[in-house]
Amino acid sequence: MRGKRFGTGAALAVGALAVTGLAFAPTAVAVTPDTATITADCGTFGSGEATLAATQDGTSATITVTSAITAPIALAEDSITSTLTLVNASGGTATFSGTENPALAAGDAVTVGPLSGTVASGDSLEAYGGSLQIVVLGITVTCTATGPQSPGPFVFD
């Protein structure tokens, strides 16, 4: 009987610790807004509207970009190297980079990401003044925003 009581007591103690751990677990942080649009100029490769979608987990953040240019040919998954540079309202820049992209058919809008970067609480990041550099098949394409992003900069918690 003594063994059963000890087992039950230990289980209750572990359960109480788990509940306490949940109570003190960090809350999810958010970036506001989570999506924004820009008008991008990619030089001879085209121009148009691009969408940026941001997520945040602590000091880590990701941004996925659906660009203003289309794939001239089919492109394999994870075949594009991308670097997104955003301007920080408090000065400096933040860089997000990666080699992730879905498989793209000819004519599809080029989507890259999630591109990974580091943010601090209160960072206010804007595409206008920054750039997106895409390298595919050895060709470098640089896109820049022609005006501020809408509805506004990404503000990280």
Side-chain angles (χ1 to χ4, degrees):
M1 190 67 152
R2 190 177 226 172
K4 262 188 177 177
R5 283 188 205 159
F6 178 74
T8 303
L12 288 173
V14 168
L17 284 173
V19 169
T20 302
L22 287 174
F24 291 107
T27 57
V29 291
V31 56
T32 309
D34 58 355
T35 60
T37 58
I38 59 169
T39 300
D41 180 1
C42 302
T44 59
F45 296 96
S47 62
E49 189 173 277
T51 303
L52 292 79
T55 63
Q56 179 184 4
D57 184 9
T59 60
S60 297
T62 63
I63 298 180
T64 299
V65 181
T66 302
S67 72
I69 59 175
T70 57
I73 60 171
L75 298 169
E77 180 178 4
D78 301 336
S79 62
I80 302 172
T81 301
S82 306
T83 304
L84 174 66
T85 303
L86 300 176
V87 176
N88 195 331
S90 63
T93 59
T95 302
F96 296 80
S97 59
T99 57
E100 294 188 46
N101 63 275
L104 300 168
D108 284 352
V110 174
T111 299
V112 295
L115 306 176
S116 301
T118 303
V119 295
S121 181
D123 276 357
S124 178
L125 304 179
E126 164 72 59
Y128 187 52
S131 66
L132 172 64
Q133 185 178 67
I134 299 171
V135 180
V136 59
L137 302 173
I139 299 169
T140 301
V141 178
T142 301
C143 300
T144 56
T146 59
Q149 67 190 43
S150 177
F154 293 119
V155 178
F156 295 87
D157 283 344

